[in-house]
Amino acid sequence: MSSLRFLTGITPSGTPHLGNYVGSIRPSVAASFRTDVQSFYFLADYHALIKTEEPARVQRSTLEIAASWLAAGLDPERVTFYRQSDVPEIPELTWLLTCVTGKGVLNRAHAYKAAVDKNTAANQDPDADVSAGLFMYPVLMGADILMFNAHKVPVGRDQVQHIEMARDMGNSFNHRYGEHFVLPEAVIDDAVALLPGLDGRKMSKSYDNHIPMFAPREQLRKSIAAIVTDSRAPGEPKDTEGSALFQIYQAFASAEETEALRQAYAEGIAWGEAKQILFERVDREIAPMREAYMGYINHPDKVEAILQGGAAKARAISAPFMTQLRHAVGLRKLSAQASTAKSSKAAKAGAPSFKQYREKDGQFYFKLVDASGDLLLQSPGFGHPKDAAASMAQLRSDGFAAWSAAHGGGQLPQGATLEALQAALSSLAEA
Ligand code: TRP
């Protein structure tokens, strides 16, 4: 049973660039091959609406980024790869989290504060042109993460504050409504977190200093030729320190290759020559993916089908979890409320209970039945009674969503409802 869950999102608001590749796509794909980790990767298209008002751009970018991830080797069978807007439980959870998040906390979020500082400096109203979406961005991101109870969230340094906020939201919610959420942690790989762009600042869509990931070979060459260097002439020793060209090279090259370029810098390699070396090295890594990428771009239906498959996997977790969360905060069927009101009487008459037993097949099972003996949940078979007991304990402590995820999406018996199951589990927890 793989238990450590990694989750990361990328906002589809532009064409993927080498910064995205080095900082997110490449390490994510590498991590997806770990067998001790369960990975969730998604296209944060609701986040894209905060940054762009062009519908065609959101759609195009979603395709390009999904295609990049797939071309880079992400295997949708191994991981859960989905589009945020295909999972309606995420915006639903956003609201529940909104209600446990202090407004003052959001006032301090970097992206919002930067906008306010800029307005203030320009003698404008502090909130001029700031949408409530920008303000709420950390809550949506918190929902992305908490929805799947991710333990680890690989992100760039600029996103760490958001992960801490997600942690606080999960903590506040747990405090009020019982233990539902795992508290996530950011994972930053310092070796890759910050790829500089053409001008030496962080490579970013918003600085317009990026190198597209899948430009045709000749365009990649041109892009790399535009990296800003100093004016030292061929033959003059060059500094690797602060050299964007060197840092980008380092992100692609082996330790020996990097050492060789360091040597060449010291010996006064011409900038043109250094750029040629960088270009060849990047192209060597990217070229094999380019063909796969174009295959996806030319067949968006294939990508769509993959994302739909991913959404189904994601929702097998998010839908039952959301049912549990709705119940926890009191968004309950009135009939369920009636049964809670009865519960002290029902407790005497007979509460829901677990039954453990062995079948003719020699395996060990448990089931949950309600007060009147109707079946609410049936476990799979276990080879050993200890395993059955552990699984039962997990169901009781972590809830149905986590339990069913761990058991490959458990199914409810005919006639049983998730509502009734959640109600039984919470009445057992209260007892
Ligand atoms: N905000 C992230 C970015 O712009 C993208 C993102 C959205 C994300 N939701 C997330 C990253 C959840 C990690 C986890 O880079």
Side-chain angles (χ1 to χ4, degrees):
M1 200 190 299
S2 63
S3 49
L4 195 63
R5 285 181 299 274
F6 274 62
L7 174 143
T8 199
I10 178 164
T11 305
S13 56
T15 296
H17 54 66
L18 290 185
N20 302 133
Y21 173 66
V22 167
S24 169
I25 299 174
R26 188 174 63 185
S28 298
V29 171
S32 75
F33 289 102
R34 285 176 57 173
T35 51
D36 57 333
V37 162
Q38 194 186 350
S39 304
F40 295 83
Y41 299 121
F42 71 98
L43 301 144
D45 56 347
Y46 282 130
H47 281 90
L49 302 186
I50 299 167
K51 302 189 183 175
T52 170
E53 290 170 21
E54 292 169 58
R57 186 180 160 110
V58 175
Q59 183 191 27
R60 175 72 190 177
S61 175
T62 301
L63 172 63
E64 288 179 349
I65 293 186
S68 307
W69 239 326
L70 294 167
L74 191 75
D75 177 356
E77 298 295 323
R78 290 187 73 95
V79 305
T80 305
F81 180 51
Y82 57 101
R83 171 170 53 198
Q84 187 184 31
S85 66
D86 286 332
V87 182
E89 291 78 20
I90 293 172
E92 195 174 352
L93 177 56
T94 301
W95 180 250
L96 302 194
L97 297 178
T98 301
C99 296
V100 299
T101 304
K103 177 174 174 291
V105 172
L106 299 179
N107 286 340
R108 292 187 285 276
H110 297 322
Y112 172 68
K113 251 180 61 185
V116 167
D117 290 349
K118 199 169 149 205
N119 282 331
T120 312
N123 260 329
Q124 298 252 320
D125 180 284
D127 281 329
D129 290 325
V130 176
S131 71
L134 177 68
F135 186 68
M136 295 292 298
Y137 175 113
V139 190
L140 179 58
M141 188 158 157
D144 291 332
I145 297 167
L146 298 175
M147 186 86 259
F148 296 98
N149 273 321
H151 301 93
K152 304 278 179 191
V153 185
V155 285
R157 207 165 270 293
D158 58 325
Q159 296 290 323
V160 172
Q161 186 196 34
H162 295 142
I163 314 302
E164 278 160 10
M165 288 181 169
R167 222 182 139 77
D168 290 346
M169 292 168 206
N171 204 17
S172 311
F173 191 98
N174 286 351
H175 195 68
R176 278 177 222 201
Y177 300 113
E179 293 296 316
H180 295 277
F181 295 122
V182 164
L183 303 183
E185 278 172 36
V187 184
I188 305 150
D189 186 341
D190 270 316
V192 297
L194 276 187
L195 195 73
L198 300 175
D199 57 0
R201 294 185 293 172
K202 176 193 168 186
M203 190 180 289
S204 161
K205 311 173 231 231
S206 36
Y207 294 154
D208 202 18
N209 64 354
H210 60 274
I211 302 173
M213 179 172 171
F214 286 117
R217 195 176 139 87
E218 278 322 300
Q219 205 182 316
L220 177 65
R221 185 198 300 278
K222 270 192 208 142
S223 249
I224 287 178
I227 294 174
V228 175
T229 54
D230 62 27
S231 55
R232 280 181 228 185
E236 273 185 78
K238 317 263 183 309
D239 271 335
T240 54
E241 186 77 22
S243 163
L245 195 162
F246 188 80
Q247 285 175 47
I248 298 171
Y249 186 74
Q250 197 165 19
F252 286 85
S254 68
E256 296 83 69
E257 289 168 327
T258 303
E259 224 12 74
L261 187 65
R262 188 188 303 282
Q263 195 61 38
Y265 264 54
E267 288 163 5
I269 187 173
W271 286 125
E273 204 183 319
K275 285 176 175 174
Q276 179 63 23
I277 291 173
L278 173 62
F279 163 65
E280 292 296 350
R281 186 61 191 84
V282 172
D283 192 58
R284 170 144 63 98
E285 184 158 332
I286 296 295
M289 301 175 203
R290 215 178 261 135
E291 200 178 328
Y293 176 78
M294 289 318 298
Y296 287 117
I297 291 294
N298 294 329
H299 299 279
D301 47 318
K302 279 194 202 157
V303 180
E304 184 60 41
I306 290 170
L307 292 177
Q308 289 307 323
K313 262 162 94 175
R315 293 201 69 202
I317 297 169
S318 61
F321 191 29
M322 201 59 221
T323 305
Q324 177 188 323
L325 297 171
R326 290 174 63 100
H327 187 271
V329 300
L331 304 176
R332 301 172 183 170
K333 287 269 159 50
L334 298 183
S335 49
Q337 187 195 15
S339 74
T340 313
K342 275 195 320 219
S343 70
S344 56
K345 266 188 276 164
K348 283 185 213 128
S353 58
F354 280 104
K355 311 242 183 274
Q356 284 182 268
Y357 56 98
R358 192 172 191 184
E359 282 283 12
K360 288 199 195 73
D361 63 5
Q363 302 235 80
F364 296 86
Y365 292 81
F366 66 85
K367 61 185 179 184
L368 178 62
V369 295
D370 69 10
S372 40
D374 287 337
L375 185 64
L376 294 172
L377 178 134
Q378 163 73 64
S379 81
F382 296 90
H384 199 279
K386 259 208 301 211
D387 297 332
S391 169
M392 199 170 98
Q394 192 213 1
L395 173 62
R396 295 190 66 150
S397 65
D398 301 353
F400 175 69
W403 180 84
S404 75
H407 292 81
Q411 279 194 356
L412 293 179
Q414 247 192 350
T417 67
L418 207 44
E419 285 280 331
L421 172 61
Q422 305 292 6
L425 285 172
S426 38
S427 87
L428 281 167
E430 282 157 25

